[in-house]
Amino acid sequence: MEDTLSAPRLARRRKLPPRAAPVAFAFFMSAIMALLMCCVIVGANTGIDAGYPVRVFNSYALAMPVAFVCVLMVRPVVARLVGAVCRLPG
């Protein structure tokens, strides 16, 4: 008997549980926003030349963890603000 799983079942098995969604959201949001902001700020402050990618990576190494913690901290406040200005389903 072969011990293989179908691709959809295997993908489902590798996913995080629903309770992890807020943390996963915060991780991806902070990762993307920190990278975009590092690219813009490093380019504006030091210009875009041969050393630009290294400078962006160095600033991103500091900015990403800070952004992740900040997103986790402000998420409840933002959720309340969205609830105050938007008609939500349910």
Side-chain angles (χ1 to χ4, degrees), residues 4-73:
T4 60
L5 297 173
S6 67
R9 187 172 171 201
L10 184 60
R12 215 176 16 251
R13 180 176 271 185
R14 290 184 181 170
K15 288 188 176 184
L16 296 171
R19 69 180 182 276
V23 176
F25 177 87
F27 175 79
F28 289 117
M29 176 63 80
S30 61
I32 293 166
M33 290 304 298
L35 180 61
L36 293 173
M37 294 306 299
C38 286
C39 289
V40 170
I41 293 168
V42 167
N45 285 334
T46 63
I48 298 174
D49 57 13
Y52 174 75
V54 172
R55 292 191 308 271
V56 168
F57 178 77
N58 288 336
S59 64
Y60 183 72
L62 172 64
M64 172 40 193
V66 172
F68 180 57
V69 171
C70 290
V71 170
L72 286 174
M73 288 174 29

